[in-house]
Amino acid sequence: TRLSSQLSPGEIVQLLNDIFSAFDELADHYRLEKIKTVGDEYMVVGGVPMPRDDHAEAVAEMAIAMLVSLADVSQQYNLPLDMRIGMSSGPVVAGVIGKRKFAYDLWGDTVNTASRMETYSLANHIQVSHTTYMLLQKKYRFEARGEMNIKGKGQIPVFFLKGRLNGQGNSKS
């Protein structure tokens, strides 16, 4: 939004295309399913349509790689680019509804919680729900943010994903 006043619509589209194309490559690399982009939002899911035991790890790895990728694009364009990433884990319903402009989509409380994690996160951070933290705590480093009052959820514990326990991955604060 901030860049919309500095760049032409064509430049914004090119910038988003470069960012989302890089993210698409990451989604392919980590075998994740891109669901959609809405404006400057990018949604990806693990374990859909084919279930996989490492869905949370794969999404965490992509989230870490997305921060690195965005920093690369930021340097390439010489622009201060930021993003917030939110993650949650749990059941979802996936499919196509409606009669026109068919689009594969996801629904459920897990989707809403992931969206809230992004909304309430900080720039260049990966904020995760307690369910995702519980799945990943033995392989990744986290910073507890404490309980936050999250719209539609109430007071819930949230965490920043900081990187892998073996030291690889994002360590930005």
Side-chain angles (χ1 to χ4, degrees):
T1 303
R2 157 179 50 94
L3 291 176
S4 296
S5 63
Q6 300 172 10
L7 301 175
S8 72
E11 291 170 321
I12 292 287
V13 169
Q14 183 60 52
L15 174 63
L16 287 174
N17 184 63
D18 288 350
I19 293 168
F20 288 170
S21 293
F23 292 173
D24 287 346
E25 289 177 16
L26 292 173
D28 288 345
H29 176 78
Y30 292 107
R31 299 179 353 264
L32 298 170
E33 187 72 24
K34 174 184 175 180
I35 300 301
K36 62 184 169 184
T37 60
V38 179
D40 62 356
E41 183 177 313
Y42 187 96
M43 180 190 269
V44 66
V45 65
V48 172
M50 297 300 298
R52 57 189 281 194
D53 291 337
D54 68 340
H55 59 88
E57 289 176 53
V59 175
E61 292 297 324
M62 180 169 171
I64 292 166
M66 287 171 78
L67 289 174
V68 173
S69 181
L70 186 72
D72 291 344
V73 173
S74 180
Q75 186 175 23
Q76 175 188 343
Y77 276 82
N78 196 29
L79 290 170
L81 302 175
D82 297 321
M83 74 175 160
R84 298 181 313 258
I85 299 174
M87 287 178 59
S88 192
S89 303
V92 297
V93 175
V96 178
I97 60 173
K99 293 185 178 185
R100 283 192 234 146
K101 294 193 179 186
F102 297 118
Y104 187 72
D105 207 347
L106 295 178
W107 302 273
D109 186 56
T110 302
V111 177
N112 296 335
T113 302
S115 177
R116 297 289 191 261
M117 291 299 98
E118 181 271 329
T119 299
Y120 290 87
S121 188
L122 299 177
N124 300 318
H125 282 71
I126 304 164
Q127 183 164 278
V128 306
S129 66
H130 188 257
T131 55
T132 300
Y133 167 77
M134 294 302 291
L135 289 171
L136 298 176
Q137 66 179 327
K138 293 182 180 171
K139 294 185 178 181
Y140 292 84
R141 293 179 291 113
F142 291 90
E143 176 186 322
R145 288 196 79 189
E147 289 197 356
M148 292 184 73
N149 188 19
I150 305 293
K151 180 181 175 184
K153 305 296 296 174
Q155 290 288 126
I156 63 170
V158 297
F159 305 83
F160 283 139
L161 170 64
K162 303 303 280 185
R164 290 187 216 126
L165 279 176
N166 65 10
Q168 297 177 340
N170 181 41
S171 59
K172 295 178 181 177
S173 298

